Amino acid sequence: MISMLPTQVWPDDLAARYRAAGYWRNETFGAWLHERAVTHPDRLAVVGGAQRWTYATLDQRASSLAAGFLQAGLVRGDRVLIHLPNIPDFIAVVMGLFRAGLIPVYALPAHRITEIEHFARGSDARAYIAADHHAGFDYRALATELRQRCPTIQRVWVHGDAGPFSSLETLAATDGSAVPPNISQGSDVAFLQISGGSTGLSKLIPRTHDDYIYSLRESARICGLGPDTVFLGALPIAHNFPMSSPGFLGTLYAGGRVVLSLAPDPESAFALIEREHVTVTSLVPPLLLQWLDLAADTAYDLHSLRTIQVGGAKLSAEIARRVRPMLGATLQQVFGMAEGLVNYTRLDDPEDTIIHTQGRPISPDDEILILDDDGQAVTPGQAGHLLTRGPYTIRAYHNNPSANARSFTADGYYRTGDVVRMTPDGYLEVQGRAGDHINRAGEKISAEEIEDYLLSHPQVFDAAVVSIPDEYLGERSCAFIIPKGARPRTIELKTWIRGRGIADFKIPDQIVFVDQFATTAALKLSRKALRAELRTRLLDQGADQTPPSSLPQ
Ligand code: OOB
């Protein structure tokens, strides 16, 4: 296979405009971290577990790792799969990769061999970096299997007890003093992020230094970040929201401090908020609910909190209203996507806007279209399909012509799959979604992907996976199954899917056996219409009361 160097290219006229407007400044990750380390070397940059790193320490560690990666034979442009939880070395590793001109590919800690193999193949990765274990899972076993399945993975580094692999700690002891702070251009692809995956497995999203740094610089400004900011990374920081909206990168860019929590639960987080005087954090709606519950009678001092950002899935106005009285902080709604566009409510917006909308775009050059089913602009104020293009929204996925043909218009707009309406003052309200994925507590699950796993079971004749409204998770997944011969037990099917080696959050919360999917007339329906019909049937029967499984870590 020919290795394809990831690129992301905007038309010349637009690129010139984004540069002229000062959005793209040819800044790079390697360089700005170094600049911060020179201006304020002794300021704390990252806190996690027992580690407390200053900007100078983080910068040196990034250089050491960069030197180590290059000495191990990786060359500029190589892709490196990152599979780390919220530990300080997550940040040192990605900064080290940037500095060496290597391209991180971000997997979530919940991903398992099937997803990891898919990312490794899709990106043609040459190395894999994982923790020894996290949340009860041994990533070294996954690494062994990955090496067998993907011989292109030539190097494996492990944080902690490396077992048969190379130790990340040893690599971090490399002399990095000769490594230049930066060898990249602003227009180079800095990393590959993964898509929420509306059809099939996730797609890879190439983001450039120019476009991503613009989005996090403006995010940091919109969210009022500065040297006094203490950002708590509670959600997995490999996700775009806690990474750059403004997330840990925006915080470091603004000279603030990042505090990392290995788990997002309120007990772990509240202890850190009190100890580190956390000022801002980002949550998904179900986590916010847990936080609100515990905040009612916690002994922890949460007074330092100024802003609670909530995004990833729709937040109900009912819950939004409780944030200020219960947590004493300003709510900020964040509606974003790894492909680019991010919307924020502004901190000084009227309470009504903060509670009822999902914010407005970062950039005056974020172009927004809201179209009806025929591709015509809706009457202002009406709901329609959201399409967008702009200075930090991608124009193409990596190496995926069919997804690109589906997801982008000829003039470069990204079809988000979201249905929104715009208020007269330009704020977006998310109404729902046109695509068939399930947004389970902010984790996106492709119906098609799970149906494929189910169909591979010998006792499954057909399967359709749909989203069901869930009071706690927002949505949960329900698989309708037509059995082949004897009906399999629910637990057998769940075990079967888990055995495919996928993230736990993708395992259906509920399984319903049916004799057939639809009446003969309805059999002509598209898959999409079929899923809609099954969902309605279940909700009409009031048979949707199965308690969901717990929130994934
Ligand atoms: C964020 O990114 P992804 O790529 O995991 O998921 C994007 C999708 C959006 O297209 C939308 O369907 C949904 O997640 N979404 C929301 C939402 N924020 C995201 N739906 C309703 N209300 C919201 N506030 O999820 C993401 C990336 C950057 C910042 C924030 C979230």
Side-chain angles (χ1 to χ4, degrees), residues 356-371:
H356 290 285
T357 80
Q358 279 63 60
R360 65 181 161 85
I362 289 179
S363 175
D365 274 297
D366 280 322
E367 297 176 69
I368 300 284
L369 298 177
I370 303 179
L371 305 181

Side-chain angles (χ1 to χ4, degrees), residues 267-309:
E267 290 83 3
S268 316
F270 286 7
L272 286 170
I273 292 171
E274 176 177 288
R275 195 184 82 194
E276 303 293 335
H277 307 293
V278 167
T279 61
V280 54
T281 191
S282 39
L283 302 176
V284 289
L287 257 182
L288 171 67
L289 265 181
Q290 287 186 6
W291 281 42
L292 290 169
D293 260 5
L294 197 75
D297 57 357
T298 183
Y300 287 113
D301 180 358
L302 306 178
H303 277 99
S304 57
L305 275 176
R306 280 183 237 150
T307 312
I308 305 275
Q309 301 184 291

Side-chain angles (χ1 to χ4, degrees), residues 196 239-241 245 311-314 334-339 358 416 418 430 439 444:
H239 188 272
N240 202 62
F241 180 21
S245 304
K314 178 82 183 263
V334 187
F335 162 43
M337 50 212 72
E339 284 80 356
Q358 279 63 60
T416 67
D418 294 313
V430 180
N439 188 337
K444 319 304 185 299

Side-chain angles (χ1 to χ4, degrees), residues 191-228:
F191 59 85
L192 296 174
Q193 184 57 278
I194 54 171
S195 76
S198 48
T199 42
L201 282 157
S202 294
K203 299 175 280 286
L204 296 168
I205 300 174
R207 302 286 302 257
T208 64
H209 292 265
D210 270 339
D211 90 77
Y212 209 61
I213 291 176
Y214 168 56
S215 82
L216 65 92
R217 182 175 63 233
E218 278 304 286
S219 296
R221 192 185 58 75
I222 289 167
C223 305
L225 302 197
D228 297 336

Side-chain angles (χ1 to χ4, degrees), residues 456-480:
S456 67
H457 190 281
Q459 283 160 273
V460 171
F461 175 71
D462 204 354
V465 174
V466 308
S467 69
I468 303 289
D470 184 278
E471 207 183 331
Y472 173 59
L473 296 166
E475 292 177 8
R476 65 173 189 272
S477 59
C478 176
F480 290 88

